[in-house]
Amino acid sequence: MDTISKALSHGGIQGVYRHEAETTRCPMTFAVYLPPQAEAGKVPVLWYLSGLTCTHANVMDKGEYRRAAARHGIAIVAPDTSPRGPDVPDEPDNWQFGCGAGFYVDATQAPYDRHYRMWSYITEELPALVAREFPVDMERQGIFGHSMGGHGALTIALNHPERFRSCSAFAPIVQPSTAGWSKPALTKYLGADEAAWRRHDATALIADGRRFPEFLVDQGTADSFLNEGLRPWLLEEACKKAGIGLTLNMREGYDHSYFFISTFMDDHIAWAAERLR
């Protein structure tokens, strides 16, 4: 693991790191914020998964999470959203697929199956590296994310309820198997058999019996993707039917941007902190 940069912030350290990833077969960059409490011992860890077109840097630069993370003594890990590099297949003119749009799945279709293994990277390889290299308590993990990353957070938590004590999302894609901007990506990554998509669809996972204690979701009412891509009411219906707790906050006038995310970031970190104590 190489250290790209380190900076002091709110008494803690914001670092950026790079390593050669076995799962994605390319160098991967990620950010870690360690709060000042990490100097005295291991701290809880909160994973943040970003959305389409993003890298590790979007939330690091715009998310305004460090003050709350330092206050609550929580480490924040921000991975990249896809493999990258000259050998990684891509569709440069398609922002909804390829580099910056890994959708947190392990591709099974050529040529994407060689590199696009973000599910294994996020759930296996990167946690092992973070546990080895940083003073984090892997018995106290939470996960959250935005848009495509909200989809990733929900599906990973539902598949690994024993691992995570908290899960929340900003404007998540709650049913990617039917959303226009995610169906083409799932087809290219996972094939035409939609049964293979269910592991990566929060509403389908709940319908198939997967459970998580409770979710927090914030969604802007002025989000241009609300009605066609995000549709939080589908998650609300699924959770109600399954008896899963859901706090769904419809935020009047907010859009899909980091202005929205940064406004409610403190709420999500406080939510996680209550459950990671």
Side-chain angles (χ1 to χ4, degrees):
M1 187 183 75
D2 297 322
T3 300
I4 306 303
S5 66
K6 281 186 177 182
L8 185 66
S9 181
H10 296 284
I13 299 295
Q14 177 65 70
V16 178
Y17 309 90
R18 182 179 295 125
H19 71 118
E20 290 289 336
E22 294 181 2
T23 47
T24 61
R25 301 187 183 188
C26 68
M28 296 293 290
T29 302
F30 63 99
V32 177
Y33 177 71
L34 290 177
Q37 295 87 339
E39 294 184 3
K42 292 185 176 182
V43 294
V45 58
L46 188 54
W47 300 84
Y48 179 88
L49 305 185
S50 290
L52 290 162
T53 76
C54 291
T55 70
H56 70 281
N58 293 74
V59 70
M60 186 178 74
D61 294 343
K62 305 174 188 177
E64 301 180 18
Y65 57 78
R66 282 171 287 270
R67 184 187 301 275
R71 182 189 311 128
H72 293 288
I74 296 175
I76 308 287
V77 180
D80 202 348
T81 57
S82 76
R84 299 177 191 270
D87 298 328
V88 176
D90 189 20
E91 293 183 3
D93 296 328
N94 183 0
W95 64 275
Q96 297 173 335
F97 182 76
C99 290
F103 276 92
Y104 304 102
V105 303
D106 281 352
T108 58
Q109 306 300 300
Y112 308 108
D113 55 344
R114 177 173 173 81
H115 295 284
Y116 286 86
R117 295 178 49 79
M118 290 303 294
W119 181 271
S120 292
Y121 178 70
I122 296 296
T123 64
E124 298 173 14
E125 184 172 5
L126 188 57
L129 176 66
V130 168
R132 186 169 66 247
E133 298 289 343
F134 299 94
V136 296
D137 182 358
M138 300 300 281
E139 296 300 315
R140 293 186 290 165
Q141 296 186 66
I143 190 166
F144 67 151
H146 170 232
S147 194
M148 177 184 73
H151 138 75
L154 292 170
T155 57
I156 289 172
L158 283 163
N159 277 284
H160 298 282
E162 75 291 343
R163 182 182 301 184
F164 299 100
R165 297 190 186 184
S166 75
C167 179
S168 67
F170 303 97
I173 306 171
V174 305
Q175 196 175 87
S177 62
T178 62
W181 63 350
S182 47
K183 283 187 68 176
L186 294 182
T187 302
K188 293 174 186 177
Y189 287 138
L190 302 177
D193 182 4
E194 296 186 11
W197 304 0
R198 297 186 69 83
R199 185 187 183 197
H200 301 289
D201 183 309
T203 60
L205 283 165
I206 293 170
D208 291 345
R210 296 284 186 170
R211 296 292 181 264
F212 198 79
E214 55 184 340
F215 299 114
L216 166 66
V217 172
D218 274 277
Q219 171 67 62
T221 62
D223 192 322
S224 60
F225 304 112
L226 175 59
N227 292 319
E228 295 185 7
L230 306 173
R231 303 170 296 167
W233 50 86
L234 298 177
L235 179 65
E236 187 174 37
E237 293 169 4
C239 286
K240 184 177 181 180
K241 186 174 181 179
I244 297 173
L246 172 65
T247 300
L248 174 60
N249 299 314
M250 298 300 297
R251 302 296 189 176
E252 188 67 31
Y254 283 92
D255 60 16
H256 200 68
S257 72
Y258 268 89
F259 297 111
F260 157 63
I261 296 168
S262 63
T263 300
F264 301 105
M265 179 63 77
D266 283 11
D267 294 346
H268 283 247
I269 292 177
W271 165 278
E274 291 180 2
R275 290 150 182 81
L276 296 178
R277 288 195 182 100

